[in-house]
Amino acid sequence: MQKSLYIPEAWRASGGPSQEEQDQYINGAIKSLGDPEQVVQFQQNVEEVGVWANDVDAAFDRVTRGFVDIVAKYGKDFPGLSAFLADWKTYNTRWVALLLLSRNVASEQIGFDQVFLDLIETIKTEKDRLDAITELQSFIDEDHSQPGNMAEGFMDLKNDIDDFVVRFDAYVAEKGAELEQQAKSLQAEIDVLRAQIMKLDLEILAATVALLAGAEGAATLIGILGVIVAGTILAVKIGERSNKSNQLSRKRKELEEVNRKQVALAHLATDFNGLRPDISLVCDKLVMFGEIWQSVRSQSIRFQTHLKLGMEAVHEERFLQEIELARDTCPPLEEGLLRYATKLENRA
C-alpha cells in the first residue's frame, strides 16, 4: 500500500505538513520533554511495549490452544486443518525469536546520545564536521541491520498472519462449497432412486395381480409379504427393487454424513471466529513493534546526510532543533528501552 494513502486529507494537496507545522511540532516535543512528568510518561510508554509482549504471548497461546481443539474435534473430517495448526505454531516460533532479538537491539541502542550527539554538538571547525561525518559513517557502515531486519520481520509476520486468516477462510468456503455440491448430488440421486422404487412397486403389484388372475385379495397379500416364484418377471422386478432399495439406503447414509460434516464445518467456522479477536490483537501489536524499530537507525543517517551539506548546515536553526529534540528524547528513550529489555528478560 502506498504511503500517500496514510497522509491526512488536509495534507494531500501539499504531500505533507508545511515547514512551519513541522517546526511547531518539534518545538512542542522539545517543550514536552522538558517537563519531568512528560519524561516519566514517555519512559513508561516505552516500557509498556514490554507489556505488549505479554499480551501477544497470551493471545498466541489462546489461538494455539484453540486451534489444537479445532483439529481435535474436526481434523478427521477436514485433514487440511493440521497444516493450518502447523503454520500457526511456526508463526509463534518466529514471534519468540523476534522478541528476543528486540530485547538485544533495545540494549544496544542505549548510549547513542553520549557518543554521537556529543560528537555533533561539539562541531566548531570544518575538521570537526568532517570527523563527525566519518564517525557517523563508520557507525552506519557497521552491522546495524538488526533494527531494520527486526522491523521487517515483525511486519512480514503480521502479513503472513493476515494471509493465514484469508487462506483459512478460503479453505472453509471451499469445503463448504464441496459439501454443498455433494449434498445436492446425493439428494438428486436419492430422488431418482425413490422414483424408480415407486415405479417398481407399481410394476410388482401389477405383475402379482396378473399372475394370480382373479385372486385379488391373495394378490395384495402376496405382494405385501414378498412371496417370490423363481424365474418369473415378478421375481426380476422384486430383485430390482431390492437392489434399488439398498442403493437408496447407502445414498441416504452418505447424505447424512455430508450433512454432519456441514454442521461440523459451521461449528468449526464459529470456533475460529472466536479466535479472531486474539489474532487481530497479535497483528495490531506486530505493526506497532515494526513501526517502533523501523526508525531506530534512521536518525544517525539523517544527521550524517545533513552534515555533508557543509558548515552552514551545522548551524541551521532547524538542524539544531532536531539535535536538541534527539538529546531530550534519548535519555527517557534509553531508560524506557532498559526497562523494556529487563521486562523481556524476565517475561514468563
Side-chain angles (χ1 to χ4, degrees):
M1 186 175 290
Q2 296 179 347
K3 290 184 179 180
S4 60
L5 296 179
Y6 296 104
I7 298 175
E9 188 66 33
W11 294 338
R12 288 284 172 84
S14 61
S18 66
Q19 184 73 39
E20 181 181 358
E21 288 175 312
Q22 291 175 348
D23 290 343
Q24 288 177 350
Y25 181 81
I26 291 175
N27 288 330
I30 292 172
K31 183 178 179 180
S32 295
L33 289 168
D35 181 349
E37 292 184 3
Q38 290 288 334
V39 171
V40 171
Q41 183 61 53
F42 185 79
Q43 293 171 349
Q44 291 175 346
N45 289 344
V46 177
E47 180 187 5
E48 184 67 17
V49 180
V51 177
W52 294 352
N54 290 331
D55 293 341
V56 177
D57 267 350
F60 258 113
D61 181 62
R62 287 191 294 269
V63 175
T64 300
R65 286 187 286 106
F67 236 101
V68 167
D69 185 54
I70 285 174
V71 172
K73 289 192 292 187
Y74 312 113
K76 185 176 180 180
D77 292 329
F78 307 103
L81 293 174
S82 296
F84 285 101
L85 176 58
D87 285 347
W88 184 261
K89 288 182 176 179
T90 299
Y91 301 149
N92 200 351
T93 300
R94 286 167 58 187
W95 153 254
V96 172
L98 285 167
L99 203 57
L100 293 176
L101 179 60
S102 77
R103 180 193 63 195
N104 297 336
V105 170
S107 299
E108 290 173 3
Q109 300 310 307
I110 298 171
F112 175 85
D113 63 328
Q114 276 72 35
V115 178
F116 298 104
L117 294 182
D118 283 348
L119 187 67
I120 294 171
E121 288 185 328
T122 56
I123 293 176
K124 301 297 182 184
T125 66
E126 179 68 8
K127 183 178 183 303
D128 292 339
R129 182 182 70 86
L130 296 176
D131 287 344
I133 291 173
T134 300
E135 288 298 322
L136 283 170
Q137 186 63 54
S138 67
F139 172 76
I140 292 168
D141 289 341
E142 290 174 7
D143 184 12
H144 294 284
S145 58
Q146 280 190 328
N149 291 340
M150 184 171 56
E152 185 177 342
F154 279 123
M155 295 305 297
D156 285 346
L157 179 56
K158 185 264 183 188
N159 291 335
D160 286 346
I161 292 175
D162 282 339
D163 179 66
F164 171 88
V165 174
V166 171
R167 288 188 294 109
F168 186 85
D169 287 342
Y171 176 81
V172 172
E174 178 186 349
K175 293 304 174 184
E178 289 177 2
L179 291 172
E180 183 178 0
Q181 184 57 49
Q182 290 176 24
K184 287 181 178 179
S185 298
L186 286 168
Q187 188 59 57
E189 292 181 60
I190 287 171
D191 291 342
V192 169
L193 286 169
R194 289 183 61 196
Q196 291 174 341
I197 289 172
M198 288 180 63
K199 181 181 178 184
L200 284 169
D201 283 341
L202 293 174
E203 291 176 352
I204 288 169
L205 181 59
T208 303
V209 170
L211 289 169
L212 292 176
E216 294 181 3
T220 301
L221 181 60
I222 290 173
I224 293 173
L225 296 178
V227 177
I228 302 174
V229 179
T232 64
I233 190 171
L234 179 60
V236 172
K237 292 296 181 181
I238 290 176
E240 288 181 15
R241 187 194 186 287
S242 177
N243 181 49
K244 296 293 184 183
S245 181
N246 289 336
Q247 290 182 46
L248 179 61
S249 179
R250 288 195 299 272
K251 294 300 178 183
R252 280 176 170 164
K253 288 180 180 179
E254 289 178 25
L255 181 57
E256 288 176 5
E257 180 64 9
V258 169
N259 289 338
R260 185 191 64 76
K261 288 183 178 181
Q262 287 178 310
V263 172
L265 188 66
H267 288 311
L268 184 163
T270 299
D271 288 353
F272 185 75
N273 286 338
L275 302 179
R276 288 182 191 273
D278 280 325
I279 294 175
S280 295
L281 183 150
V282 168
C283 289
D284 290 344
K285 297 304 185 193
L286 286 173
V287 169
M288 293 179 185
F289 274 104
E291 289 177 345
I292 287 170
W293 294 112
Q294 191 68 50
S295 61
V296 167
R297 191 183 176 212
S298 62
Q299 193 172 57
S300 60
I301 297 175
R302 163 81 178 92
F303 291 161
Q304 193 249 23
T305 301
H306 189 82
L307 290 176
K308 288 182 178 180
L309 299 177
M311 282 299 292
E312 290 184 3
V314 174
H315 301 294
E316 283 184 5
E317 182 179 353
R318 173 60 181 278
F319 182 63
L320 293 175
Q321 286 177 330
E322 290 186 20
I323 295 296
E324 183 180 357
L325 177 60
R327 173 68 80 187
D328 292 341
T329 301
C330 276
L333 175 61
E334 290 173 357
E335 176 63 27
L337 287 175
L338 179 60
R339 296 178 186 176
Y340 170 85
T342 301
K343 193 173 290 292
L344 294 188
E345 186 73 38
N346 297 330
R347 64 191 274 269

